Amino acid sequence: MDVVGGDGRLLAPRGGGPTRGEYTQRFGWRKAPPEPARASPVRLAMLAPMRTIVLVVGLLVALAGAVFALQGAGILPGSYMTGDRLWLVIGLVMVPIGLAMAWWARRSAPRGP
């Protein structure tokens, strides 16, 4: 279906949009947008330990959350938290947060040159 403007002239033909040359003429684009910047080797070397730290902290948060949840549910006895519903809720909130941190640390591998 052709797109026609209010004054009756054809705005967009059925076959597709304007060509690259028409875009260049209309908007002044001379070349494609630049490639996204890549991280330098120094930056990559600095990011690796930070990702490892986030991974370890995320796993520790998830582990502590699991312990809190088990104690709050009364499954893991031996603490003032045993049987307290507040610690069950705190643990159930901590586990997905810790797992999300670990997932993000593993997923956000830097892209080298």
Side-chain angles (χ1 to χ4, degrees):
M1 178 174 160
D2 293 336
V3 178
V4 180
D7 57 356
R9 59 189 179 105
L10 186 64
L11 296 179
R14 187 185 326 224
T19 65
R20 184 180 173 108
E22 291 169 338
Y23 273 124
T24 303
Q25 184 179 11
R26 192 178 307 167
F27 301 113
W29 295 342
R30 291 202 166 76
K31 59 183 178 182
E35 290 286 324
R38 300 226 181 240
S40 69
V42 173
R43 181 169 167 84
L44 292 176
M46 289 174 23
L47 288 177
M50 287 191 287
R51 283 189 7 253
T52 304
I53 290 170
V54 171
L55 175 66
V56 170
V57 168
L59 292 176
L60 289 175
V61 167
L63 179 65
V67 169
F68 290 176
L70 291 174
Q71 286 182 337
I75 297 172
L76 189 63
S79 166
Y80 68 91
M81 297 188 290
T82 302
D84 190 351
R85 196 171 284 227
L86 173 66
W87 291 105
L88 174 64
V89 172
I90 291 172
L92 290 176
V93 169
M94 286 177 65
V95 169
I97 290 173
L99 292 176
M101 288 173 64
W103 173 80
W104 177 83
R106 292 289 298 155
R107 182 180 176 276
S108 64
R111 290 162 182 80

